[in-house]
Amino acid sequence: MVRLSLTRGLAARIAAVGALLAATACTDGMTSPSASDDAAFKKSPLPSLPTVPSNLHTGKYRDSGLPHATGRSGSARLAARAIRGADGVTRLLVTTGSVDNPAAAPGELAKVQLKAYLPDGTKLWTQNFQRPTSGGSYEFLLPGLPAGTRIDVQANVRGIDRNRTDVVEVTETVKLGAALGVTIDPPAQVVTGVPTVITGTVRETNGQVGAYTSCVLVVDGVEVDRIDHIWVDAGDVVTCAFTHTFRTGGSHDVEMRLIAGPGDQTFVTDPPSDSGEVVAQDPNPTPSFSASVMDRTVAEERLYDETWWNPDGSDREFHQNNGEATRTQNFAMTGTLARAASFPLATVSIEVASDAGVWHSAQWTGLVAVPNLSGQSCVDQLSPADGSHFYLCSSGSGATGTTAFGYTRFAGTVTYHSRAFHRQWDAIAGVETTFSWNNVDETYNGGGQMRPLGSAVSFNITVRDLVGSIPVSGTVPLTSFDEGTVTLAPYTCKDEMPYWLYGGVKTVCEGASSRTYGWSGQANG
């Protein structure tokens, strides 16, 4: 299941790289983040900083999940959000403030009444809570409620309108917590000693709410790069883009993991990580490439069946299926040229197309490189409008020198940039979380760019410098694949005896499955 900006001004690049070299080691010396970095993980969107280039963004790129309930009476406001987790428990947050920052809620919840109704309108129970908290926020744990359950919330709020007690009512609907899955797409071959871009995708497949998480890149069992606080919208897919330099040749295990932030207990990851293999080799004295294409659809289904009966002989059944199908399309290529490049590069031309249509066509001119700590000179181009990234690094001179390059066409709606990606390609020294769009900025609202598939995808890259032109071209034939249905959670049943059945029994059965299929191909030359 595993496959692997515009030109910045020279003065700005030299100044930025100089600051980076003085403040921190570059990608080549990347170490695992400290515990203090992990403690900085926040649930609120990170602020935009002056060091962030204009083609990068911070915060939530979009939140199209089902809305939570809000209401007001006088000056008192009330918000309620009910999320059913993988453990079957619904966490109902009732707050006089924001559901994203409940700790800052004003006033006091003097009394809260909850009434629960099944999606078909059947009333389940009424519960009353006298002063559940001395503050303005409280999270109720409510087991046994299916998604779609309606909860009427009535709260008596004190301490906002002077001596007056405000009575605020809202109706919230139980939503499934986000189900996050991850797939890594590393290049099959890389060049030793050269910063390499490695990508993976994170998908949300319940389609009701989004979630925050962290992407972590692990190489040979050691964490080497990460992105904290990424947001994945409901039913959407995003890309995590890392950068790592392989120092030794041979086969390396690479893994991408999802790590929940503090307090994030309402979502599940299916699976929580994905791994693959990368072969690192010394620079080839002759032009070579390794290219791969992946067009993948992951369809997940979650089953929920509920039956219950009362001692009086009455009974009821409820059945519910949930799930989303997410599709991503990725193209990745790495390669070497036969000699060192001479900077500035006059032009770099790229064209990627299937026999059904053009995927990406671009030409960049006057690319100026800046040396890194390893003595390499690198240039790169980030193209958010096309969801792609190109880089080229060269060392030495003439026929005895080496040049390696890489091109990635990202999957997903947006691409999050890792800490090492920031340092190597964005000239950012901080740890802020940023993303670039994979299409025409905020006007795009779709879930990743899709280009027409044919029987093969071809590419042509030509690098022209003061010495001459170096072309690299190839074709990746495509074949279909279907990995079949995989059980994510076995279909199991359990009996419960809730108090509102007065001695009756409720049986809840749940299960989840996934099917992955699509088109893929790989070619070397």
Side-chain angles (χ1 to χ4, degrees):
M1 180 172 170
V2 176
R3 333 282 191 248
L4 184 70
S5 59
L6 300 176
T7 305
R8 304 179 179 89
L10 175 60
R13 290 300 295 273
I14 293 177
V17 172
L20 288 178
L21 297 182
T24 181
C26 74
T27 305
D28 300 338
M30 188 70 185
T31 59
S32 298
S34 65
S36 61
D37 289 334
D38 295 336
F41 184 99
K42 303 285 186 182
K43 286 193 68 89
S44 58
L46 299 180
S48 178
L49 301 179
T51 56
V52 176
S54 60
N55 58 4
L56 300 182
H57 309 270
T58 60
K60 286 184 179 180
Y61 64 93
R62 185 181 66 227
D63 188 350
S64 58
L66 300 177
H68 63 272
T70 60
R72 66 177 298 170
S73 175
S75 299
R77 298 175 182 271
L78 193 70
R81 182 179 63 188
I83 303 294
R84 185 180 191 273
D87 56 2
V89 176
T90 294
R91 291 166 173 82
L92 171 65
L93 173 63
V94 178
T95 178
T96 59
S98 166
V99 295
D100 292 325
N101 189 19
E108 175 192 355
L109 296 175
K111 178 183 177 181
V112 177
Q113 181 185 77
L114 306 177
K115 295 181 180 180
Y117 300 85
L118 285 176
D120 62 5
T122 303
K123 183 177 180 180
L124 296 178
W125 44 255
T126 298
Q127 299 186 40
N128 293 290
F129 302 86
Q130 296 292 336
R131 202 168 184 262
T133 176
S134 60
S137 298
Y138 191 77
E139 186 176 73
F140 300 89
L141 303 182
L142 308 173
L145 300 180
T149 297
R150 191 180 86 238
I151 303 177
D152 292 343
V153 181
Q154 183 184 81
N156 293 3
V157 180
R158 295 175 183 164
I160 295 181
D161 279 334
R162 296 189 178 183
N163 297 325
R164 169 184 167 183
T165 297
D166 296 295
V167 180
V168 191
E169 298 181 353
V170 298
T171 297
E172 169 65 346
T173 301
V174 175
K175 306 164 187 64
L176 284 177
L180 301 182
V182 58
T183 303
I184 191 171
D185 292 290
Q189 293 182 1
V190 302
V191 178
T192 57
V194 177
T196 301
V197 175
I198 300 174
T199 67
T201 55
V202 184
R203 61 186 178 273
E204 198 292 307
T205 52
N206 272 344
Q208 299 191 2
V209 296
Y212 286 105
T213 187
S214 292
C215 286
V216 175
L217 178 66
V218 177
V219 176
D220 296 330
V222 178
E223 179 182 322
V224 297
D225 200 5
R226 70 185 295 145
I227 318 172
D228 283 333
H229 197 78
I230 75 164
W231 168 257
V232 188
D233 194 14
D236 204 11
V237 183
V238 301
T239 291
C240 291
F242 306 98
T243 296
H244 179 65
T245 300
F246 293 87
R247 293 300 182 185
T248 59
S251 177
H252 297 270
D253 294 325
V254 294
E255 181 184 6
M256 177 172 153
R257 299 174 182 171
L258 296 186
I259 299 178
D264 280 332
Q265 301 173 351
T266 59
F267 67 83
V268 294
T269 54
D270 297 321
S273 66
D274 192 25
S275 60
E277 183 179 83
V278 166
V279 176
Q281 58 185 11
D282 292 334
N284 197 320
T286 60
S288 65
F289 72 85
S290 176
S292 62
V293 177
M294 173 60 69
D295 189 301
R296 177 192 293 114
T297 297
V298 179
E300 295 191 3
E301 183 179 33
R302 300 182 184 276
L303 306 178
Y304 181 94
D305 299 310
E306 177 182 298
T307 59
W308 48 270
W309 55 269
N310 276 319
D312 62 9
S314 61
D315 58 18
R316 198 163 196 89
E317 293 185 5
F318 176 77
H319 305 282
Q320 185 180 71
N321 291 359
N322 292 282
E324 294 278 329
T326 58
R327 181 186 172 196
T328 57
Q329 192 177 79
N330 167 267
F331 176 82
M333 174 180 53
T334 58
T336 59
L337 304 181
R339 58 172 174 82
S342 177
F343 295 99
L345 300 181
T347 60
V348 175
S349 301
I350 291 181
E351 181 166 325
V352 181
S354 72
D355 46 12
V358 175
W359 284 27
H360 183 206
S361 180
Q363 178 173 290
W364 302 294
T365 61
L367 302 186
V368 179
V370 176
N372 61 22
L373 285 178
S374 298
Q376 298 170 333
S377 296
C378 298
V379 297
D380 81 296
Q381 291 290 290
L382 177 67
S383 300
D386 296 288
S388 67
H389 179 258
F390 169 81
Y391 66 91
L392 180 147
C393 292
S394 186
S395 61
S397 62
T400 61
T402 60
T403 300
F405 66 91
Y407 172 86
T408 303
R409 188 174 170 278
F410 300 122
T413 300
V414 300
T415 294
Y416 287 94
H417 296 199
S418 73
R419 297 178 183 181
F421 196 103
H422 275 334
R423 287 156 175 72
Q424 180 65 45
W425 310 118
D426 299 328
I428 297 177
V431 296
E432 57 269 24
T433 300
T434 67
F435 65 85
S436 56
W437 289 90
N438 289 340
N439 208 307
V440 185
D441 295 343
E442 292 84 345
T443 60
Y444 182 70
N445 59 0
Q449 298 187 83
M450 299 300 159
R451 294 293 188 260
L453 284 176
S455 60
V457 175
S458 300
F459 64 89
N460 290 279
I461 296 181
T462 301
V463 178
R464 185 166 64 87
D465 60 8
L466 298 176
V467 178
S469 297
I470 308 176
V472 178
S473 61
T475 298
V476 182
L478 301 179
T479 59
S480 63
F481 69 92
D482 190 334
E483 298 179 2
T485 300
V486 176
T487 298
L488 300 177
Y491 187 78
T492 56
C493 301
K494 62 179 180 180
D495 292 335
E496 303 171 354
M497 297 184 68
Y499 76 91
W500 46 269
L501 283 180
Y502 305 104
V505 175
K506 181 176 73 169
T507 301
V508 176
C509 301
E510 296 183 84
S513 61
S514 172
R515 177 181 167 225
T516 301
Y517 58 94
W519 294 80
S520 67
Q522 183 170 327
N524 299 312

